[in-house]
Amino acid sequence: MAAMNLEEELNETDRILATPNGAANEMLDVGQEDNMQGQMEEFLGPQAEYNEEEEERKYYRRKRFGVIKNVLAASVGAMIMYSVYMGLLQMQLILHYDMTYREVKYSNLGLEDIDRKMLRGINVTPILGLLYTPILIRFLGTKWMMFLASGIYAFFVSTNYWERYYTLVPSAVAIGVAIVPLWASLGNYITRMAQQYYEYVNYKEEHVQEQKKIPKGVCHKYIIIFQSIFSVIFHLSFVFAEFPMSLLLNGFILDDSHVLFNVKSCGAKISGVIPGLNTTVLRSLPQSMKLIIVESVLMGFAFLSMIIFLLLCGAAYRPTEEIDLRSIGWGNIFQLPFKHLRDYRLRLLCPFFVYSGLEVLFAITGLSLSYGVCTLGLQKLWLLIVVYGLSCSIFSFLSLCLLRLPRWVCLAAGASVHLVLLVVLMVFSPTPPHHEYEAPLLIISMLWGLGTALNKTGVSTLLGILYAEEKERLDFVYTIYHWLQAIAIFVVYLWSELPMRAKLAILLATLLLACYCYWLMERRLAKKVRHRLPRIPRPRHKVKGYRYLEEGNSDESDSERSEEDDENEEDREPEEQLANEFRAEDMEAERQDSGAQEADSLRHRVDATHAVEGQRG
């Protein structure tokens, strides 16, 4: 018992001694919690060093750099893609033209017939581009349309590993299908980047914050700059396309005396491309392994252009804007390109669109072949194209003069240069082979490149300036432009056997008509004649398959929306039951009231009848 009492006293003593320490620990815990709460409030509260305006300025500066990155990526991607396409097509056509190459490697295949059908697919198919281009751009989006088109060009490159009818012709048709959508997407993309750059520069403006239509003329300088950058970079594709020719094929091409042995005249006097050109142009056949290596390198660059479009090019529109562009209805999207031709500005620019396609194809086929190769030989073809491409690239900077000069200066200067050259070419008929004509032909190629640079950049810039404030119309406008260029490509394909003076006369007549129509358009605009634009229907958001259907949160997922609907239905069930009960009571009361009113009216009619009978009696 004494031991138990002693143990209880010791426990009581320990408890009494532990109480102050425990209280101190509890107080310490309370102090730590207060300290942690203060630190959290300090961390989550407004920071004294945080400058909201400075952070906003840095954010929009990053956005502007992103726009510049998008423009450079789209330009470089298009340049690489067309370098690969034109370089491979040129090498392919030269090899297939040589009779020895055809007989030794593909004796029973009929490469000549395959080449004709392949060129027909590339040149004829784009005529249908006006029917499907806006639908493809609206359905896929501008960026994804460019990526898909680059994939089609890569597919064309891959088919050259196995040169057969069922590989080359379908890929050529696919190229023809993709030409108009690709170029309409590129024109739309560059113009849209200029609009975005203006929005990021003037992010504090009220109309930008509220996403309203931008004022007229405010983004024109960015359109001029970005279109110039695109032209400068893209026209380098003519230079890089000649690498396979200069590095590989030139070592296998025969001398001019053999290639041009049966050629009697060149230039304005001839009909066709190069009449009398020898059917054997190769000294020896290039090794198959070398051709495979070259095609593999080109295939790698084709994939590089696809990666550039996919990873480096940002979206042209916000996600909600993309949905708005699609949800106006596929029938309206199909009709609007035709309805936009009611606008007199587009109608009067159509001759310039056609001439823009004619003159580029003439520079590659007529000027370089019928004048250059016919006089200097096939070994100088790469030099003529390189001079033309460098000239186009360098002189595209001249379009920046539109920042200070009127917009008609660029097109007028380019048309004047080509007008003089067309007159000169009509009387220029060199006799082959004479290398003393090399310098004049290089000068003509350089001047033609000057006119092309001013013409191509001027037309694209002019369309951007005229329709800069109508961003929902850009794809229709650029579709019409490049569709008419496709018509010009088809015309060049048809006139290949015409006399050279007839070709030059068509070019000259088209140029004069284009200049007159452009002058007429500028005159109407100066007089402020109203142009007619078709009404674009408002987006129909209640369309199956789109993410935001109501005026609520556009980022709300379907699962969240369904859960909220279920909860609302559960909340509405008791309310609906009560409402139904009240509605039943009201209907019963109304029924009783109507019965009483009918009884009263019947009683009044009976009393009135008795009163009338009493008076008669």
Side-chain angles (χ1 to χ4, degrees):
M1 293 293 292
M4 292 176 64
N5 292 333
L6 180 61
E7 186 177 354
E8 291 178 359
E9 290 177 0
L10 288 174
N11 292 334
E12 186 69 22
T13 303
D14 292 339
R15 187 167 58 252
I16 293 171
L17 292 174
T19 301
N21 293 334
N25 290 334
E26 291 178 1
M27 293 177 64
L28 182 60
D29 293 339
V30 171
Q32 288 179 353
E33 290 179 359
D34 293 340
N35 189 21
M36 289 176 63
Q37 186 175 2
Q39 291 177 356
M40 290 293 293
E41 291 179 354
E42 182 180 357
F43 178 75
L44 297 176
Q47 301 293 323
E49 299 178 358
Y50 179 76
N51 189 339
E52 184 177 357
E53 185 176 353
E54 180 66 18
E55 292 298 325
E56 188 179 34
R57 188 180 63 82
K58 290 180 180 179
Y59 171 77
Y60 281 102
R61 184 176 62 184
R62 290 195 298 270
K63 286 288 188 180
R64 293 195 294 272
F65 283 138
V67 170
I68 296 174
K69 180 262 298 179
N70 292 339
V71 173
L72 294 177
S75 305
V76 172
M79 183 267 292
I80 294 175
M81 181 174 58
Y82 259 77
S83 299
V84 171
Y85 165 65
M86 292 189 294
L88 180 65
L89 187 62
Q90 181 187 25
M91 184 177 69
Q92 182 187 43
L93 293 177
I94 292 175
L95 289 175
H96 292 180
Y97 178 81
D98 186 76
M99 185 173 62
T100 306
Y101 181 86
R102 294 197 307 267
E103 291 182 352
V104 171
K105 300 195 71 172
Y106 304 98
S107 57
N108 300 322
L109 193 59
L111 280 182
E112 281 186 306
D113 182 60
I114 291 177
D115 286 347
R116 282 195 297 269
K117 292 181 178 178
M118 186 178 67
L119 291 176
R120 192 179 305 161
I122 294 174
N123 295 320
V124 178
T125 312
I127 295 176
L128 304 175
L130 189 63
L131 302 178
Y132 58 82
T133 296
I135 297 176
L136 284 179
I137 294 176
R138 291 292 173 106
F139 181 73
L140 296 173
T142 306
K143 171 190 172 178
W144 291 103
M145 187 65 245
M146 295 190 297
F147 172 72
L148 176 63
S150 63
I152 291 175
Y153 278 82
F155 169 66
F156 175 77
V157 177
S158 66
T159 56
N160 282 267
Y161 285 107
W162 187 251
E163 296 177 314
R164 295 295 185 272
Y165 179 87
Y166 52 83
T167 58
L168 294 178
V169 176
S171 64
V173 173
I175 288 283
V177 170
I179 285 177
V180 178
L182 169 66
W183 280 101
S185 300
L186 284 171
N188 185 8
Y189 191 80
I190 299 300
T191 305
R192 183 69 188 116
M193 288 300 107
Q195 294 170 343
Q196 282 189 6
Y197 195 85
Y198 166 78
E199 292 172 0
Y200 295 147
V201 169
N202 302 276
Y203 61 90
K204 293 183 179 180
E205 298 292 336
E206 182 178 356
H207 63 274
V208 174
Q209 293 179 353
E210 297 180 0
Q211 297 183 13
K212 294 182 179 179
K213 184 181 292 188
I214 60 178
K216 189 172 181 61
V218 292
C219 64
H220 289 179
K221 62 179 180 180
Y222 303 118
I223 293 174
I224 295 169
I225 294 172
F226 287 175
Q227 290 289 353
S228 300
I229 291 173
F230 175 79
S231 296
V232 168
I233 296 176
F234 173 76
H235 283 126
L236 291 175
S237 60
F238 292 102
V239 178
F240 293 113
E242 296 306 311
F243 279 12
M245 175 75 180
S246 59
L247 298 179
L248 177 66
L249 281 188
N250 263 1
F252 297 95
I253 293 178
L254 289 166
D255 296 335
D256 303 338
S257 57
H258 177 81
V259 175
L260 304 176
F261 182 77
N262 294 322
V263 178
K264 304 303 179 184
S265 60
C266 297
K269 293 182 179 180
I270 66 173
S271 297
V273 182
I274 308 177
L277 186 68
N278 203 321
T279 56
T280 304
V281 296
L282 298 178
R283 180 181 297 107
S284 60
L285 300 184
Q287 297 178 0
S288 298
M289 186 55 64
K290 288 185 178 180
L291 294 178
I292 291 174
I293 292 173
V294 171
E295 290 170 0
S296 300
V297 172
L298 295 178
M299 191 69 199
F301 279 104
F303 276 122
L304 178 61
S305 68
M306 293 179 64
I307 293 172
I308 288 174
F309 282 125
L310 179 63
L311 299 181
L312 297 183
C313 290
Y317 294 91
R318 303 181 185 93
T320 54
E321 287 178 328
E322 291 279 5
I323 295 174
D324 287 346
L325 292 175
R326 296 183 193 129
S327 57
I328 66 174
W330 300 114
N332 291 318
I333 294 175
F334 176 78
Q335 295 174 12
L336 280 170
F338 302 95
K339 291 182 178 179
H340 273 83
L341 287 172
R342 300 171 184 172
D343 185 359
Y344 72 82
R345 297 176 298 175
L346 274 180
R347 286 203 312 271
L348 293 176
L349 283 175
C350 284
F352 243 123
F353 298 162
V354 174
Y355 178 76
S356 179
L358 291 177
E359 59 95 1
V360 174
L361 266 296
F362 175 77
I364 297 174
T365 58
L367 183 60
S368 299
L369 296 178
S370 300
Y371 283 88
V373 173
C374 184
T375 306
L376 306 177
L378 197 58
Q379 290 181 338
K380 296 294 182 179
L381 174 61
W382 71 273
L383 181 60
L384 293 168
I385 300 294
V386 165
V387 170
Y388 171 74
L390 284 176
S391 175
C392 290
S393 177
I394 294 171
F395 290 123
S396 293
F397 281 115
L398 294 178
S399 61
L400 294 175
C401 68
L402 297 181
L403 295 171
R404 293 288 181 268
L405 298 176
R407 64 188 177 200
W408 55 266
V409 171
C410 196
L411 285 176
S416 301
V417 172
H418 278 180
L419 185 65
V420 173
L421 289 177
L422 287 172
V423 174
V424 170
L425 290 176
M426 277 191 170
V427 297
F428 184 53
S429 299
T431 54
H434 285 289
H435 290 281
E436 61 268 17
Y437 291 110
E438 181 175 347
L441 287 171
L442 292 178
I443 293 174
I444 291 174
S445 296
M446 182 187 66
L447 293 177
W448 195 274
L450 167 63
T452 299
L454 295 175
N455 176 31
K456 298 284 287 184
T457 314
V459 172
S460 300
T461 303
L462 179 62
L463 286 180
I465 289 173
L466 292 178
Y467 295 92
E469 295 78 26
E470 305 283 345
K471 59 185 177 183
E472 69 274 8
R473 303 181 187 275
L474 289 175
D475 52 345
F476 301 119
V477 172
Y478 281 103
T479 295
I480 294 170
Y481 169 33
H482 293 290
W483 175 69
L484 289 171
Q485 280 194 328
I487 298 294
I489 293 173
F490 178 63
V491 170
V492 173
Y493 172 73
L494 291 179
W495 78 10
S496 58
E497 298 302 323
L498 286 178
M500 179 55 64
R501 285 196 172 95
K503 300 176 185 178
L504 294 172
I506 294 173
L507 276 171
L508 188 59
T510 307
L511 178 59
L512 293 175
L513 178 62
C515 292
Y516 171 74
C517 291
Y518 177 67
W519 171 79
L520 196 59
M521 185 204 76
E522 290 289 356
R523 185 181 178 186
R524 289 188 184 181
L525 289 176
K527 291 182 178 180
K528 297 183 179 180
V529 178
R530 291 189 61 183
H531 48 269
R532 184 180 178 185
L533 285 175
R535 185 182 67 86
I536 295 181
R538 289 185 177 182
R540 299 195 302 264
H541 295 313
K542 292 186 179 182
V543 179
K544 200 171 183 180
Y546 291 118
R547 289 177 59 197
Y548 75 103
L549 306 181
E550 303 291 343
E551 296 180 355
N553 184 13
S554 62
D555 295 327
E556 183 183 12
S557 64
D558 294 335
S559 60
E560 293 173 354
R561 189 180 299 109
S562 61
E563 291 174 1
E564 292 181 1
D565 293 341
D566 295 338
E567 293 175 356
N568 294 333
E569 288 179 1
E570 293 175 359
D571 295 337
R572 282 197 300 267
E573 284 180 359
E575 296 176 1
E576 290 178 355
Q577 292 177 0
L578 291 174
N580 292 332
E581 292 176 1
F582 286 127
R583 194 178 301 112
E585 293 176 0
D586 293 340
M587 291 175 65
E588 184 67 25
E590 290 176 2
R591 194 179 300 112
Q592 293 176 0
D593 293 341
S594 61
Q597 290 175 2
E598 289 177 359
D600 292 340
S601 61
L602 181 60
R603 191 179 302 113
H604 285 307
R605 285 198 298 271
V606 171
D607 293 342
T609 304
H610 288 310
V612 171
E613 289 178 354
Q615 290 177 0
R616 288 178 180 176

